[in-house]
């Protein structure tokens, strides 16, 4: 298991890149392919920005980000925690993508995208915390077999 140091920061747009930089560096050091890194980073950004903008209803509040990469199977697990208003983003109904942008209800597209990118997601409210866990499987990089050489 390869665990990143927990980050607890004021949840704001100003701290977003501190979070994203730490996660990207950790994923890169863990040998995570670029496509997977991108999907994880977009997902974390979406959830973190939602916490910053909505969890504390305009008041300052903190968010904690935890991440680890496990081996056998290789999985990136990200946990985001906040003490904001209880809210389960997984209950948000998926947008109707058959409607035009003008016809669709505003909001929800980011959460939908996160659901598409991540392999598993779980929400719970515990001890005054919103806790969202997201997991992304990391495929093993193919190495050429003996029959592929020459």
């Amino acid at each position: 298991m390869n665990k990143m140091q927990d980050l607890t920061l004021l949840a704001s747009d100003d701290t977003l890149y501190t979070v994203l930089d730490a996660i990207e560096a950790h994923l890169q050091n863990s040998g995570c392919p670029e496509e997977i890194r991108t999907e994880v980073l977009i997902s974390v950004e979406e959830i973190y920005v939602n916490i910053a903008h909505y969890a504390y209803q305009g008041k300052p509040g903190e968010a904690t980000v935890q991440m680890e990469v496990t081996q056998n199977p290789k999985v990136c697990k990200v946990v985001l925690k906040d003490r904001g208003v209880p809210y389960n983003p997984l209950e948000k109904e998926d947008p109707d993508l058959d409607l035009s942008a003008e016809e669709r209800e505003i909001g929800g597209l980011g959460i939908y995208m996160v659901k598409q990118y991540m392999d598993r997601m779980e929400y719970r409210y515990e001890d005054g915390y919103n806790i969202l866990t997201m997991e992304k499987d990391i495929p093993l990089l193919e190495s050429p077999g003996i029959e592929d050489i020459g």
Side-chain angles (χ1 to χ4, degrees):
M1 177 170 50
N2 186 354
K3 192 169 178 174
M4 178 183 88
Q5 181 178 348
D6 292 359
L7 292 173
T8 299
L9 302 164
L10 180 65
S12 73
D13 293 341
D14 294 338
T15 58
L16 172 64
Y17 290 102
T18 300
V19 171
L20 295 179
D21 290 347
I23 287 178
E24 182 168 29
H26 192 77
L27 287 173
Q28 211 160 11
N29 291 339
S30 299
C32 182
E34 184 177 357
E35 179 182 341
I36 301 296
R37 283 195 319 261
T38 299
E39 290 177 352
V40 170
L41 288 168
I42 289 170
S43 298
V44 169
E45 178 176 358
E46 178 62 31
I47 299 301
Y48 192 84
V49 166
N50 281 350
I51 292 168
H53 290 191
Y54 306 114
Y56 295 100
Q57 301 178 322
K59 298 179 181 105
E62 291 183 334
T64 297
V65 181
Q66 304 167 320
M67 189 184 81
E68 64 183 308
V69 176
T70 62
Q71 305 297 325
N72 299 325
K74 195 163 188 174
V75 175
C76 169
K77 179 179 177 181
V78 181
V79 178
L80 292 109
K81 297 167 66 173
D82 68 78
R83 286 190 169 275
V85 175
Y87 177 71
N88 181 352
L90 304 180
E91 291 178 347
K92 176 80 174 151
E93 192 172 314
D94 291 343
D96 184 347
L97 300 179
D98 292 329
L99 297 175
S100 70
E102 294 80 26
E103 295 173 305
R104 262 196 317 265
E105 194 175 309
I106 293 176
L109 206 51
I111 297 294
Y112 174 77
M113 185 173 56
V114 172
K115 289 178 186 176
Q116 301 309 303
Y117 282 155
M118 302 306 284
D119 293 310
R120 287 166 299 286
M121 294 179 69
E122 173 188 283
Y123 168 85
R124 68 185 192 279
Y125 186 78
E126 185 175 283
D127 298 328
Y129 283 97
N130 289 295
I131 303 169
L132 183 69
T133 302
M134 306 184 294
E135 293 184 348
K136 181 72 177 172
D137 296 331
I138 303 173
L140 296 174
L141 294 176
E142 299 279 332
S143 57
I146 293 176
E147 66 277 354
D148 296 332
I149 301 174

